[in-house]
Amino acid sequence: MTSKPDSPDQKPSFIEAVRRAQITECAIECIAEIGYVNASLAKIAKRADISTGVISYHFASKDDLIRAVIAHVMDTAVAYIQPRIDWSNPRAALRSGIEAVVAYYAAHRDYSLALLKINLAGGAGTPTEPYDPEIQERRQRVMREILAQGQEDGSFRPFDIGVMVAAIFGAFDTVPRKVAADPPVDLPAYGRELAELFDRATRAD
Amino acid sequence: MTSKPDSPDQKPSFIEAVRRAQITECAIECIAEIGYVNASLAKIAKRADISTGVISYHFASKDDLIRAVIAHVMDTAVAYIQPRIDWSNPRAALRSGIEAVVAYYAAHRDYSLALLKINLAGGAGTPTEPYDPEIQERRQRVMREILAQGQEDGSFRPFDIGVMVAAIFGAFDTVPRKVAADPPVDLPAYGRELAELFDRATRAD
Amino acid sequence: MTSKPDSPDQKPSFIEAVRRAQITECAIECIAEIGYVNASLAKIAKRADISTGVISYHFASKDDLIRAVIAHVMDTAVAYIQPRIDWSNPRAALRSGIEAVVAYYAAHRDYSLALLKINLAGGAGTPTEPYDPEIQERRQRVMREILAQGQEDGSFRPFDIGVMVAAIFGAFDTVPRKVAADPPVDLPAYGRELAELFDRATRAD
Amino acid sequence: MTSKPDSPDQKPSFIEAVRRAQITECAIECIAEIGYVNASLAKIAKRADISTGVISYHFASKDDLIRAVIAHVMDTAVAYIQPRIDWSNPRAALRSGIEAVVAYYAAHRDYSLALLKINLAGGAGTPTEPYDPEIQERRQRVMREILAQGQEDGSFRPFDIGVMVAAIFGAFDTVPRKVAADPPVDLPAYGRELAELFDRATRAD
DNA sequence: TATGAATGAGTATTCATTCAT
DNA sequence: CATGAATGAATACTCATTCAT
């Protein structure tokens, strides 16, 4: 749905895939480092040591590239986080989920930083919406499920799920800035702190 | 370091102040509406119904203007929030503080939205820092004090203050997006939910 | 209807008018010389010895500039041709009209050449339509009137007016290529030949 | 001077000829449909469902391809029109010639449209000449002969042959735009009108 | 032969900034 | 003080062409 071959889905051709991956990676680094605004195709190309035309050759537009970036980040995030969630009960799921996200952010600082910056750059035109609202939805879906389950089985108190999810992801968005902070932050501890924080914020009684 | 180059720091001159205020205000509206990226000096000037040269005359650079925007937003925020904090005890201070911030965001949607967008656009060059780290510091100072007091007098449990502050402000940053959400969000309720959330997250026992 | 000031119609400001005229003139020369396709803003700017930004400053877009070119050519053409038409009777009107058009083309070779090239460059998207069908309409209106009058009063035979007008303007479009031909063409004679041609083609009997 | 650089002018090789024909055909369609300007090699290649490199392999340059297009159109035109000319006398030849050309245009709308658009796009550099003056010469040769014969045997009045030929072809160039006009034009009638027009314009007395 | 990947110049347009008036 | 005009660099994107495979 992203790329250029209009003859629907032939074969992405090995080198094509490699190039796209390389460009996507460089774009992520660029955005993380200098911001979404300043990450021009020229700068991304220079970082990849290719000509700008190459990017246009492999991606239909800058928007197409950005969507590839988002997709890549989301995919790796899901792959990393999903198996780390302990589904034995909602409280455990929440704690492990939060810690997994922080761990992922710690492991892929550029990825999460890039995603954050893209999401807040402004997007289509509507002032309040992030780059792609559907992306936000996908990000939050699992967390929403955990909270709903916990309220159902009585392990969580009756709070507004939308507010809680927003707060949790608001907290997540602070992580990238901490990753390379000086002095360095103990990220596993950061994750545990957040887990404790939201466990207390959500649990019954 | 800010404005007029020639006369070192003589008289801010009435008209000077008025113009700066007018331009600052228009810049805020512009940034909130069309995003930091798209808020060019030309567009800001058009909104203020002045020529672009006027902006350059009163502000040394676009960066200078943005700093003025930040300063203005911060000042009004402090003026709004400060007197709304109930200092009778730390827990009351935290709750009232959180609700005051949300109320401020609700009342000055453009201000907070602009600030948020500026902070995430990429900034000076350092990868992890927002547009101006000192600004962030100022924003968080009061909240930090409240938490410290509460831990001292035993009304708060022993958590990492840095993490808690980050989480609280992460939650704050979600508010602007909710302000103009469709369907509209009940913002006082949103503030109360957040207050309850962080009260539970912080209180002793 | 053409230009940039959105505050509807203040004052075109002397220098503004001068610049627009200069740029329009250079655009005409460029298009006439190297073709509509190759007449990039950069080349037009170079010919005017200004930076490309100046063009963008005075014209909202390239399309806007082209429309200004068309309008300018049309205006001068009407001003030149209109008073040269002898309205004493349809046959005289047709002959004088044709000769006036050829004379205009001879006098303003670049203008007519530019118009011709613009009209055939392809325009909006529809394959058969010229750049702006309405322009074509305006060009042909007077000639259409003359022919209709002549058919009414019996001085012209009953032919299809649309075909005749097309043929006449088809003949006009050949003039620019003759203007600078080598060996040079006797243009007044060319005009007289065409007048004779279409007089015979149209007259009764 | 045209294609393959290495083997001077050995064997055009069957597949070579086929490919060239295919590409030429697609180029014509492209130019007719989206205009000479927009008909990039990439788009032509896409239409032919081949890679862009193939075009560059079979044609030395885009210019070379365009010349092939012109040649192909000219060849088919001659093949179509030539046998339809009634040579019994000059007036019959003129009428039948004109109707044959219009008929050809009607039958091969894309061909004539493409030729027209190429000729007016700007060409080599000389301002007044169409893409290839020699082509124009070839187009007009037969018509020129007919007119000369008619003047010799007294069936045509003494007019300037150059002017008359120009007018006739000027009229021809209006046909492609009529072909796909909305509402549709009755083209045989159009041809008959033009024939009548130029018969009256040329005949003696 | 044919391909798809790559290049580098070129496209229109926007931008922050400067400066004479 | 303010303006409008001008600049030159930067923007995303397209193009004809080349070349290793």
Side-chain angles (χ1 to χ4, degrees), chain A residues 89-91 149-157 202-205:
Chain A
N89 64 69
R91 284 185 60 189
Q149 273 186 26
Q151 284 189 330
E152 235 170 86
D153 75 4
S155 43
F156 291 155
R157 67 179 176 93
T202 52
R203 70 190 180 200
D205 273 20

Side-chain angles (χ1 to χ4, degrees), chain D residues 10-198:
Chain D
Q10 235 160 326
K11 22 146 201 191
S13 138
F14 177 65
I15 190 157
E16 165 84 7
V18 169
R19 269 283 191 238
R20 281 182 67 100
Q22 176 203 12
I23 294 168
T24 304
E25 202 67 44
C26 288
I28 291 172
E29 288 171 27
C30 254
I31 294 168
E33 193 167 308
I34 62 180
Y36 176 70
V37 192
N38 306 92
S40 67
L41 293 191
K43 292 202 188 105
I44 295 170
K46 180 167 290 180
R47 183 178 291 252
D49 202 40
I50 56 179
S51 99
T52 66
V54 184
I55 298 180
S56 293
Y57 181 78
H58 290 285
F59 295 90
S61 66
K62 188 179 185 183
D63 202 81
D64 188 27
L65 169 58
I66 297 301
R67 285 181 196 287
V69 164
I70 294 171
H72 181 58
V73 173
M74 293 300 299
D75 289 348
T76 60
V78 167
Y80 184 99
I81 295 162
Q82 210 86 286
R84 280 176 173 77
I85 298 179
D86 170 6
W87 287 101
S88 53
N89 64 69
R91 284 185 60 189
L94 178 62
R95 294 194 84 115
S96 58
I98 288 172
E99 293 192 58
V101 169
V102 175
Y104 172 74
Y105 278 19
H108 297 80
R109 173 176 161 276
D110 282 357
Y111 281 36
S112 43
L113 198 49
L115 193 59
L116 177 61
K117 291 192 172 182
I118 289 170
N119 266 332
L120 277 125
T126 29
T128 41
E129 299 295 344
Y131 198 88
D132 190 332
E134 199 214 327
I135 297 292
Q136 293 296 74
E137 235 302 288
R138 272 185 64 196
R139 284 181 79 197
Q140 305 185 346
R141 193 167 305 149
V142 174
M143 197 57 76
R144 199 163 241 117
E145 276 172 35
I146 294 173
L147 296 178
Q149 273 186 27
Q151 284 189 330
E152 236 170 83
D153 74 7
S155 44
F156 290 157
R157 67 181 176 90
F159 47 77
D160 182 309
I161 290 184
V163 177
M164 190 61 68
V165 167
I168 293 171
F169 279 83
F172 288 162
D173 284 347
T174 67
V175 177
R177 301 183 220 174
K178 305 287 180 183
V179 173
D182 181 53
V185 169
D186 177 353
L187 285 162
Y190 197 94
R192 266 176 275 122
E193 279 280 338
L194 283 185
E196 178 69 19
L197 191 167
F198 285 106

